[in-house]
Amino acid sequence: MVFKPFTHLARQSLGKTFTHGYAQSVVAATQSSYASSTTPFGPFSSHAASKFSKHGSSQLYSSFQQPQIPSNKTANGGQLAPASQDSREDGGLAAYYEAWQKQQGKVGGGQEWKQFQFPLRIGWKGPNALPDGKNVKRSDARLRPDTFLDHSGVDRAYSSSAVDDIKKVEDVAAEAAAVEEVDKAIAEEIKSLQIASALPSATALNHQESQEPADTDITSTFRVNLTEPTNTTSTTQRSLPLTDNNVPTQDPLGLSDAIVQLREAGSYTAIPATFELLLSRNVQPSAQAYNALLAAAINLPAPKHQVVSQALNVYTSMLRHKVTPDAAFYTMLLELLSQQAVDVHRAKLAMTLKRQRYCNPGLAKSKDIFLLQSDESEWAILLQDDAFSTAIKVFNAALTTSEDRSFSSEAYCLLITACALHGRIEDMLRVHVHLEENKVRPTASMFPPMIEAFARRGDLRSAVECYEGYKDLATQNDMGCDTLVDRNDKDIYAAVIKSYAMCGRSEAGNRFLSRIIESFDSNVEDADARLEAVHDAVVTRGLMQHQIDRAQYAEALDTAGTRCLSPSARSKAFANICSAAADHNDRKSAIEAYQGINETAPEMSMAALSMLALYVRCGQLDDARTFWSVLYGFPGSETSLVEPTIMYTIALIGAGNIDEGLQHAREAFNHMRAAVNTTAARNQIREKIDEAIERIGNSITTTGIALSPQARMILLWTMSENNGPVSPVSEHVLAGLGPVEFSTLSCQDIVLLLRTEAAMTCSGMLFQDVAHAARFEYLMDMVIRQGVYVDEKTMKLVEQTLKALESKSPDIATKWQNARHMIIQRSHVPTHATAGRIVATTVPKADAYDPYAASTDHRGSNVITAILDNTRSRHRVNLDEALSRWHDMRRAGQHPRYAVYSSLITLAAKEGRVNLIFDLIGKAKQDVPLLPQYPLVRDGWSLILDSMVGACLTVGNRAAALEYHEKLLQIGSAPTANTYGLYITTLKDSARTLDEANEALNIFCRAEQEGVEPTSFLYNALIGKLAKARRIDHCYFYFSQMRKRNIQPTSITYGTMINAMTRVSDEWQAEQVFNEMERMPNYKPRPAPYNCMMQFFLGTKHDSGKVIEYYSRMLSQGIRPTSHTYKLLIDTHATLEPINMAAAEGVLHEIRASGERPEATHYAALVHAKGCTLHDIESARATFDAAITNPEVGPLACLYQALFESMVINHCVKETDGLLEHMASRGVEMTAYIANTLIHGWATERNLAKAQAIYEIVGMEKREPSTYDAMTRGFLAFNERQQALNVVHEMLSKGYPLPVTNRIASLLGPNGSQAASTTPASLVA
């Protein structure tokens, strides 16, 4: 290979650097408080650990604790104590002696002698660990009297003199006894801490950690004092310096071992406190204890930059205490630093792209400014991060202490990757040589960055040699040797191909690709799938990525279009090209690439994001609206909408569409908040939205655009729905509102303005702008005059504001108190509707008054409810009995509760009694008219109207359902989740040519926008429609979303997911979900999932053994087979090898034995099997005749379809005329599927007239996409292109889903879709 063993040179220079640099700083850090406070990390002094501290303080303190006061001042005026330069001497005594000599030389004997401040050591005091320092005096004859002295609570830094302290030591024996007593108390306390917290069992610790709340302050989870304390309130808190003259004590309690055990148990939260306990006892920590502490620093939750700072603090403390790090410690530290370096590099690329994409002269002063201030701060942090250089220094230090030390594969991989990304080829080679010398298995993922790093330097030879080295390892791996970790050949191939292209050797790269393809053995299992994956990776990540990097978008489009990529890879490739071209303002290439993306693919949102930004930058807002709609309606894109929303909103405002822009922003922000589930994520998105509002408001202020009252209220509602008023945007909004504008606003807006003014007045804005008080008084008068309902929160703010204004306007508080009771009594609840979303105000319980309570028959209502809930009798019987009691109740002048009306309407719809439905709603209007000012009446009518929406959907009257839906919105409510599920499940009944999957998604999104909490029924309906359309990615997304919302999947949910997976041939995932379904605690066995799996292995996998297996599992669950189950069994025996026709016919006997009768579909399966599989047309005809003459079966379309298919496949097409006449004589109608078979048969016989005649028999209303497909192929077989185009035009006029129409239109040729898109006006009409 190209790697040369030159590490001896590096080690020579590294030894000098370490000896004269880092080692000295470490020694100084252990011997001087000055060094500990001014030299944070030696060579790591520039690391981000210091930049994250507060400005103005150069002191090193851990990010896990509060910053301490620097201890670098001496007792006499603050001179800095010099650091010791010799690590072999006692730095504390030498510094003391030197300071004393200097002091004696400066001042005469007349001045008072000052005690030198000794270096303070690491110490810790647990809660109530020591007795009160004021009552205990401490001394020890073996120690210097100034080591432990009682200051009675006075800090040593402020004591007058050490001599005064010495004078206080009068009775050494008494103080020795006191010391003994204190030591005993400390030992007992430590023992109790050891039992209670430091050494808990693994079970208890894990339980304790599991009980911790998920949303806690992550910066407070790891707190341990690793720096030397400066000033202490009591000398009892100090511990002895760990120096040569002061040998550390032993570890009688085994705290080091306890720390290791805590790590093994995974109880990281207890490690920091136990470690400080160890330091407080003056115990030398072991290397394993430091390993555990480092593991705790890494694994406890904290921001990533703080994790790095914590880890380096642990490393510095370890060296200060002269504990040699072992290989495990260096491995963890290198993995952390290298991963941080890689992450920072990638984050810089992402931030650069963001800055380029959202650059707009109207938004920022230059292209180098980010849209959000938080991004500016993040960019500054990334620029200052030096994790990579620190990782290299740590690696050098590790080799200096031990040349034969080795690390983990992951550490080498991450460090090599970081070196490659930063262009440090020499360091990369040195690390790789060390890996090879220590015979560590390399990780495959480190080779692509290495290969590309060589290529960027133009060293193609080294890149190829690197590949050859990987090839040798892979060859050994094929022979059974364990030479690679996580082998991944396709990424290696892609890197090599890209390297050839980067070095201008594309032809050689193509030859290399050809050799790769030829090397695949077609006899190997899954060879085609592996070859496809390799080809996709090489083209997209190799050839095409190089073209994108060089802005050769036309060439990249040609590569993506001409190479044989899989559908998913092709869609992703076009999406990458579209995003890159749009970000570089290549509109033509971006549009062309966008058209090649699969509209249902997840990458569509990424491309739409780039296209939106492109058109906004170009000022083409009409085109931008299209991509905004795509982006806003696409699942999973919510959290990335902040910057696009700012950009799009400001552009619309600048173009004069102020209300539209602000309304779009409000809806988008609501969408973002609803998309996140955790508290931390929600707080983060709220902060970003505040920034976005401030940016939008600043743009409005800067440009001087005048806002209408409605626009101001939209902006104010946007702030209110997030975190409240955003200064100075809220001040600007309120400044433009006066009495004239107030008169045009709704009651809800007036209450919001009152609450906002009250909040701003209470926060001190009253003294900055006197207009706040005037607006507040006027708004309060409006609320009093109009009797507007005021919620409790607003009332509290108003009363607080009145106290603040009491001295200036005493009469206003009196007016409010007089009108307060009247406001509550006259309150009504207005609604504020925007963009189909209703914001209703919650009414206090005091207003829960029902004006119809006196005439409500509660007992009769309970009786009717019990009748309707009876499951032992039929629905019709229950409904009739309930109606009888309802009529009796009304004759007595009473009426039932609102819920009874709702139940009656629902049951009437299930029975198909349309007239009864509308009769019930009419009687409800007579008995309990809608009075929206009463909350109970409004809630009751929400139930009734919701049931009316569901009833209208059930009986197929979708227009009436939409009408009642609108009435629900008008009273501030919305349909329930189950009603929205009915919207989805009844789509097929509304229009046969509807794109049900997209419509189902639109319905679900509307439900979320209206604040409806989804249920399992709604998710089942949605996933069912998506599964039918084979949109498996959406199925996975909503299935996972269902679990995140803690909605328990039902057996129907699992059935629909299994159906979706089998439709896309995902066998492994389907079986996993099926097994999970059977293990579900509340599993209710249903036949549908078993039938689905049987059909999958029958039609797709052709595995008869699996079909029989799932049939057996079905029987073991006590599930009774359905008619479809028996049909699948017949098909299995009759069509799959080995064919067993006797067993297939025996299924009919099995059906009869179960007490059921064979159906036409079972005989049709036998006819199809005999005619199409065995090609025995005579036997097929005999079975057909026996079936249609059987009075239990009779002539049905499925029987004729099976026989027609048998005749066509056996070239008996001309004999179908007689059968067609026989079918008409028996009253069986022509179906689209029979027509498909006959059209194909006559086209095969070269008789276009007959095929066209069959096509005409099937009316336009009954034609299916497969019918259009068959007729289009028939016309094209006779070169009748215009006739075929007419067929496609008719198909397009029916509004089928785009994937269906594109498949058929593609039959016309490469330009077929474009030609077919021009639909004749006659067909449209």
Side-chain angles (χ1 to χ4, degrees):
M1 295 178 60
V2 72
F3 312 123
K4 301 290 191 285
F6 59 88
T7 54
H8 63 283
L9 298 176
R11 289 169 183 166
Q12 182 178 358
S13 60
L14 180 65
K16 295 179 180 179
T17 303
F18 186 80
T19 303
H20 301 292
Y22 184 77
Q24 291 181 350
S25 64
V26 171
V27 172
T30 60
Q31 297 184 4
S32 171
S33 60
Y34 165 73
S36 68
S37 62
T38 59
T39 311
F41 295 117
F44 309 111
S45 58
S46 62
H47 191 268
S50 59
K51 73 169 181 277
F52 289 117
S53 61
K54 293 185 178 180
H55 297 291
S57 173
S58 60
Q59 168 196 359
L60 168 67
Y61 63 90
S62 171
S63 62
F64 340 129
Q65 64 182 9
Q66 296 296 328
Q68 299 177 355
I69 303 173
S71 60
N72 53 1
K73 304 280 185 178
T74 61
N76 66 333
Q79 295 296 325
L80 297 176
S84 173
Q85 300 297 325
D86 190 355
S87 61
R88 295 170 297 179
E89 298 178 1
D90 185 350
L93 294 178
Y96 172 84
Y97 181 74
E98 181 180 0
W100 181 82
Q101 281 188 330
K102 289 182 179 180
Q103 190 72 5
Q104 293 298 318
K106 283 184 179 180
V107 295
Q111 290 192 358
E112 185 179 4
W113 179 77
K114 301 290 185 180
Q115 171 68 37
F116 175 71
Q117 178 68 42
F118 277 91
L120 303 180
R121 301 304 176 188
I122 295 179
W124 177 84
K125 178 180 179 182
N128 302 325
L130 298 175
D132 188 0
K134 297 180 179 180
N135 302 324
V136 179
K137 294 184 178 181
R138 183 167 183 176
S139 179
D140 194 335
R142 296 169 297 173
L143 306 176
R144 287 176 50 90
D146 56 343
T147 304
F148 291 114
L149 295 174
D150 177 26
H151 293 282
S152 298
V154 180
D155 194 339
R156 184 173 183 84
Y158 299 96
S159 58
S160 59
S161 172
V163 177
D164 296 335
D165 293 332
I166 296 173
K167 291 178 181 179
K168 295 180 182 179
V169 184
E170 298 176 355
D171 190 351
V172 176
E175 291 185 1
V179 168
E180 184 178 357
E181 182 179 353
V182 171
D183 288 340
K184 183 178 179 181
I186 292 175
E188 292 177 355
E189 184 65 25
I190 291 176
K191 185 177 180 180
S192 64
L193 286 174
Q194 174 182 344
I195 298 174
S197 61
L199 296 174
S201 64
T203 304
L205 287 170
N206 292 334
H207 176 72
Q208 178 184 0
E209 291 184 357
S210 65
Q211 298 299 320
E212 292 181 358
D215 297 318
T216 56
D217 183 9
I218 61 176
T219 61
S220 62
T221 56
F222 186 91
R223 296 184 180 275
V224 55
N225 184 4
L226 293 176
T227 59
E228 299 187 16
T230 55
N231 295 323
T232 57
T233 58
S234 174
T235 55
T236 59
Q237 299 181 21
R238 299 180 184 175
S239 52
L240 288 173
L242 297 177
T243 60
D244 294 339
N245 296 333
N246 188 8
V247 180
T249 62
Q250 299 298 320
D251 188 5
L253 298 178
L255 292 179
S256 293
D257 296 336
I259 293 173
V260 175
Q261 293 174 11
L262 288 173
R263 179 193 177 187
E264 293 173 353
S267 182
Y268 295 108
T269 54
I271 291 178
T274 310
F275 195 89
E276 275 194 301
L277 183 63
L278 180 146
L279 294 180
S280 70
R281 297 299 298 156
N282 191 31
V283 175
Q284 178 82 351
S286 65
Q288 290 74 20
Y290 269 109
N291 292 351
L293 185 63
L294 179 61
I298 294 174
N299 289 284
L300 287 176
K304 190 62 180 290
H305 62 268
Q306 291 189 10
V307 173
V308 175
S309 176
Q310 293 167 4
L312 290 177
N313 277 332
V314 173
Y315 182 38
T316 304
S317 173
M318 191 176 191
L319 297 179
R320 182 184 295 120
H321 288 88
K322 300 179 181 180
V323 179
T324 303
D326 56 11
F329 185 93
Y330 278 120
T331 295
M332 286 190 290
L333 190 58
L334 283 176
E335 288 181 1
L336 175 66
L337 293 172
S338 302
Q339 184 65 63
Q340 173 74 355
V342 173
D343 293 343
V344 166
H345 179 82
R346 292 171 179 168
K348 286 181 179 178
L349 296 179
M351 294 291 290
T352 302
L353 177 61
K354 181 187 289 188
R355 183 172 56 185
Q356 180 181 4
R357 176 176 296 168
Y358 302 118
C359 164
N360 191 322
L363 302 176
K365 295 181 180 179
S366 71
K367 64 181 182 180
D368 295 329
I369 297 179
F370 287 94
L371 206 55
L372 296 176
Q373 185 60 39
S374 60
D375 290 337
E376 288 282 357
S377 302
E378 184 178 354
W379 179 252
I381 292 174
L382 292 175
L383 291 179
Q384 296 176 11
D385 190 277
D386 58 349
F388 172 68
S389 60
T390 306
I392 294 297
K393 293 176 182 177
V394 170
F395 179 77
N396 295 339
L399 298 189
T400 302
T401 55
S402 178
E403 295 185 359
D404 58 350
R405 175 174 286 142
S406 64
F407 313 106
S408 66
S409 299
E410 183 68 15
Y412 284 113
C413 173
L414 290 172
L415 188 55
I416 288 175
T417 302
C419 292
L421 293 177
H422 287 80
R424 299 278 288 271
I425 305 298
E426 289 74 16
D427 289 329
M428 179 184 75
L429 291 175
R430 187 159 55 89
V431 175
H432 189 273
V433 168
H434 191 265
L435 177 146
E436 289 185 329
E437 289 177 348
N438 289 276
K439 296 180 172 59
V440 177
R441 283 191 309 150
T443 304
S445 59
M446 76 181 188
F447 286 92
M450 293 175 66
I451 293 172
E452 293 184 20
F454 286 125
R456 280 193 294 270
R457 200 172 64 171
D459 190 356
L460 181 60
R461 179 179 178 183
S462 297
V464 174
E465 289 185 4
C466 184
Y467 163 73
E468 294 294 337
Y470 175 84
K471 181 180 177 182
D472 294 339
L473 295 173
T475 303
Q476 298 175 29
N477 186 259
D478 289 337
M479 294 186 295
C481 300
D482 193 10
T483 56
L484 280 172
V485 179
D486 297 334
R487 179 175 172 180
N488 189 3
D489 294 348
K490 59 183 180 181
D491 288 344
I492 306 297
Y493 294 145
V496 174
I497 295 294
K498 185 177 180 181
S499 298
Y500 275 113
M502 293 170 66
C503 297
R505 300 283 300 279
S506 299
E507 293 299 326
N510 291 331
R511 291 194 298 270
F512 177 77
L513 177 59
S514 300
R515 291 198 302 270
I516 294 173
I517 296 174
E518 292 172 358
S519 65
F520 272 83
D521 186 0
S522 59
N523 297 323
V524 179
E525 184 181 0
D526 297 333
D528 293 339
R530 291 175 56 197
L531 180 59
E532 182 182 82
V534 169
H535 186 264
D536 289 346
V538 167
V539 173
T540 56
R541 304 175 202 168
L543 293 175
M544 198 189 72
Q545 189 59 48
H546 170 68
Q547 293 165 344
I548 292 175
D549 293 341
R550 299 189 62 182
Q552 298 173 348
Y553 304 118
E555 291 81 354
L557 283 170
D558 182 68
T559 300
T562 56
R563 299 281 181 167
C564 298
L565 298 174
S566 64
S568 60
R570 185 184 303 276
S571 180
K572 292 178 182 178
F574 279 122
N576 291 334
I577 298 171
C578 175
S579 297
D583 292 336
H584 289 81
N585 298 323
D586 189 345
R587 192 184 315 173
K588 180 180 178 181
S589 300
I591 294 173
E592 186 177 350
Y594 186 83
Q595 293 173 348
I597 305 172
N598 182 2
E599 64 175 6
T600 62
E603 57 268 10
M604 174 62 78
S605 61
M606 176 185 69
L609 199 66
S610 302
M611 294 297 291
L612 173 71
L614 169 64
Y615 281 109
V616 171
R617 290 196 305 269
C618 297
Q620 299 181 2
L621 297 183
D622 291 337
D623 295 322
R625 283 186 178 91
T626 302
F627 296 101
W628 174 260
S629 301
V630 174
L631 184 64
Y632 183 73
F634 205 93
S637 62
E638 297 88 353
T639 55
S640 60
L641 278 175
V642 177
E643 288 86 358
T645 300
I646 300 173
M647 198 175 189
Y648 185 54
T649 301
I650 295 179
L652 286 174
I653 293 173
N657 303 319
I658 301 174
D659 290 6
E660 179 189 358
L662 293 176
Q663 187 60 46
H664 279 314
R666 182 186 176 189
E667 293 172 1
F669 294 151
N670 287 333
H671 199 49
M672 294 176 210
R673 285 190 296 269
V676 293
N677 299 322
T678 63
T679 303
R682 192 176 296 111
N683 292 337
Q684 184 178 4
I685 198 68
R686 284 179 180 274
E687 291 176 1
K688 283 213 166 197
I689 290 173
D690 278 344
E691 277 193 86
I693 294 172
E694 185 176 0
R695 168 64 78 177
I696 294 171
N698 290 341
S699 175
I700 294 173
T701 306
T702 304
T703 54
I705 296 175
L707 300 180
S708 65
Q710 287 71 27
R712 292 177 186 272
M713 288 312 305
I714 294 174
L715 195 52
L716 203 59
W717 275 109
T718 305
M719 291 184 277
S720 175
E721 291 166 353
N722 197 53
N723 284 334
V726 177
S727 181
V729 181
S730 56
E731 289 90 329
H732 177 72
V733 169
L734 293 172
L737 295 174
V740 177
E741 289 78 15
F742 294 154
S743 63
T744 64
L745 301 178
S746 67
C747 296
Q748 190 83 350
D749 292 338
I750 294 299
V751 173
L752 175 63
L753 285 170
L754 179 64
R755 181 167 65 247
T756 305
E757 282 288 1
M760 296 179 68
T761 303
C762 291
S763 63
M765 296 299 298
L766 175 65
F767 304 101
Q768 300 180 17
D769 186 358
V770 294
H772 285 293
R775 274 194 298 267
F776 174 79
E777 293 182 17
Y778 188 86
L779 289 169
M780 197 183 72
D781 285 338
M782 287 187 67
V783 169
I784 294 174
R785 289 196 309 269
Q786 299 180 12
V788 179
Y789 168 73
V790 180
D791 58 274
E792 185 178 353
K793 178 181 178 182
T794 305
M795 279 210 175
K796 290 181 179 179
L797 286 172
V798 169
E799 290 170 357
Q800 292 176 11
T801 306
L802 290 174
K803 292 180 181 179
L805 296 175
E806 189 173 4
S807 59
K808 295 186 178 182
S809 303
D811 57 330
I812 190 173
T814 305
K815 184 188 300 184
W816 173 260
Q817 292 299 330
N818 294 336
R820 189 176 189 274
H821 180 70
M822 181 178 62
I823 290 173
I824 295 177
Q825 293 297 327
R826 296 173 51 196
S827 66
H828 65 278
V829 183
T831 58
H832 187 80
T834 54
R837 183 174 184 270
I838 303 298
V839 182
T841 307
T842 304
V843 180
K845 294 182 179 180
D847 291 343
Y849 169 70
D850 186 2
Y852 307 118
S855 58
T856 303
D857 186 352
H858 295 281
R859 183 176 179 182
S861 298
N862 293 335
V863 173
I864 295 176
T865 301
I867 293 172
L868 295 176
D869 293 340
N870 184 15
T871 58
R872 296 181 180 179
S873 57
R874 295 179 179 272
H875 288 322
R876 182 178 297 276
V877 176
N878 294 341
L879 180 60
D880 292 338
E881 185 179 354
L883 288 173
S884 177
R885 289 189 176 268
W886 173 64
H887 287 302
D888 294 339
M889 185 186 298
R890 295 188 77 247
R891 291 190 194 99
Q894 293 183 305
H895 58 81
R897 291 192 296 261
Y898 304 99
V900 173
Y901 283 106
S902 175
S903 301
L904 287 171
I905 292 171
T906 301
L907 192 56
K910 291 181 180 179
E911 291 298 315
R913 300 170 67 172
V914 180
N915 293 332
L916 178 59
I917 295 172
F918 292 98
D919 182 55
L920 287 168
I921 187 68
K923 293 296 190 295
K925 291 178 181 178
Q926 295 175 12
D927 297 340
V928 284
L930 174 59
L931 299 176
Q933 65 267 29
Y934 297 104
L936 276 181
V937 178
R938 190 175 62 254
D939 294 341
W941 269 95
S942 297
L943 290 174
I944 296 174
L945 292 175
D946 177 68
S947 64
M948 281 301 298
V949 175
C952 293
L953 291 171
T954 303
V955 299
N957 193 344
R958 208 171 189 86
L962 294 175
E963 180 182 346
Y964 285 106
H965 190 153
E966 186 62 30
K967 291 180 179 179
L968 262 176
L969 298 179
Q970 290 173 3
I971 66 172
S973 185
T976 60
N978 289 347
T979 303
Y980 274 106
L982 284 176
Y983 265 114
I984 296 175
T985 56
T986 56
L987 283 173
K988 187 65 175 177
D989 299 330
S990 62
R992 292 179 59 83
T993 59
L994 193 67
D995 187 351
E996 297 179 18
N998 280 338
E999 189 64 22
L1001 283 173
N1002 293 336
I1003 292 170
F1004 186 84
C1005 291
R1006 181 176 180 181
E1008 287 191 322
Q1009 290 173 3
E1010 293 183 0
V1012 176
E1013 189 67 25
T1015 61
S1016 59
F1017 178 73
L1018 178 56
Y1019 274 111
N1020 293 345
L1022 175 63
I1023 295 173
K1025 293 298 182 183
L1026 295 173
K1028 185 178 179 181
R1030 292 178 171 83
R1031 295 168 71 162
I1032 188 64
D1033 292 335
H1034 284 78
C1035 291
Y1036 284 136
F1037 172 80
Y1038 286 105
F1039 186 62
S1040 63
Q1041 185 185 89
M1042 184 179 183
R1043 288 178 165 175
K1044 288 179 181 178
R1045 290 182 171 180
N1046 294 324
I1047 300 174
Q1048 184 67 32
T1050 63
S1051 56
I1052 299 176
T1053 312
Y1054 284 108
T1056 52
M1057 284 301 300
I1058 292 169
N1059 182 29
M1061 295 165 187
T1062 55
R1063 282 176 179 265
V1064 296
S1065 302
D1066 192 348
E1067 176 183 352
W1068 183 86
Q1069 193 69 31
E1071 290 190 323
Q1072 291 296 318
V1073 174
F1074 190 92
N1075 295 332
E1076 180 183 338
M1077 176 191 69
E1078 288 191 326
R1079 294 192 302 266
M1080 187 173 59
N1082 59 341
Y1083 172 57
K1084 296 180 181 180
R1086 296 175 58 253
Y1090 294 88
N1091 290 343
C1092 185
M1093 294 299 291
M1094 291 172 64
Q1095 186 165 356
F1096 171 63
F1097 285 106
L1098 169 64
T1100 304
K1101 295 297 181 180
H1102 309 295
D1103 188 344
S1104 60
K1106 280 286 189 178
V1107 177
I1108 302 301
E1109 175 189 339
Y1110 278 96
Y1111 177 66
S1112 302
R1113 291 172 69 172
M1114 181 181 185
L1115 296 178
S1116 66
Q1117 291 285 348
I1119 303 174
R1120 188 171 184 175
T1122 64
S1123 175
H1124 185 57
T1125 309
Y1126 289 122
K1127 179 186 179 299
L1128 295 174
L1129 279 178
I1130 294 174
D1131 288 335
T1132 301
H1133 293 306
T1135 61
L1136 297 183
E1137 296 292 339
I1139 295 175
N1140 189 348
M1141 193 58 66
E1145 293 179 341
V1147 176
L1148 299 180
H1149 301 291
E1150 186 178 342
I1151 296 173
R1152 294 188 184 97
S1154 65
E1156 299 180 4
R1157 296 176 180 178
E1159 298 179 1
T1161 54
H1162 304 140
Y1163 287 100
L1166 289 173
V1167 172
H1168 185 275
K1170 293 178 180 179
C1172 299
T1173 304
L1174 300 180
H1175 297 281
D1176 187 356
I1177 191 64
E1178 298 299 333
S1179 179
R1181 186 59 185 258
T1183 305
F1184 171 80
D1185 293 338
I1188 62 174
T1189 56
N1190 187 342
E1192 296 180 354
V1193 180
L1196 291 176
C1198 61
L1199 287 168
Y1200 285 97
Q1201 179 183 340
L1203 187 56
F1204 277 126
E1205 290 172 353
S1206 301
M1207 297 173 74
V1208 169
I1209 203 170
N1210 286 282
H1211 308 290
C1212 301
V1213 182
K1214 295 180 180 180
E1215 300 177 12
T1216 58
D1217 287 339
L1219 184 62
L1220 199 58
E1221 294 175 359
H1222 183 272
M1223 183 179 73
S1225 66
R1226 301 298 295 267
V1228 179
E1229 294 184 359
M1230 172 76 73
T1231 65
Y1233 303 104
I1234 294 176
N1236 300 343
T1237 302
L1238 293 176
I1239 291 171
H1240 173 69
W1242 287 115
T1244 306
E1245 293 292 325
R1246 308 298 295 173
N1247 192 335
L1248 182 60
K1250 282 280 190 179
Q1252 194 168 2
I1254 297 294
Y1255 177 75
E1256 295 299 334
I1257 293 175
V1258 184
M1260 180 177 177
E1261 295 77 13
K1262 294 183 179 181
R1263 290 169 186 163
E1264 296 283 346
S1266 57
T1267 312
Y1268 294 112
D1269 182 275
M1271 197 65 243
T1272 302
R1273 293 178 185 274
F1275 280 126
L1276 292 177
F1278 290 88
N1279 293 324
E1280 294 289 342
R1281 181 176 177 81
Q1282 186 57 43
Q1283 295 284 356
L1285 190 60
N1286 292 338
V1287 173
V1288 174
H1289 282 158
E1290 180 183 319
M1291 175 194 64
L1292 293 175
S1293 68
K1294 299 181 73 171
Y1296 287 115
L1298 191 60
V1300 175
T1301 57
N1302 284 344
R1303 178 176 58 83
I1304 299 175
S1306 64
L1307 298 174
L1308 298 175
N1311 299 323
S1313 299
Q1314 183 178 359
S1317 62
T1318 308
T1319 306
S1322 60
L1323 290 176
V1324 175

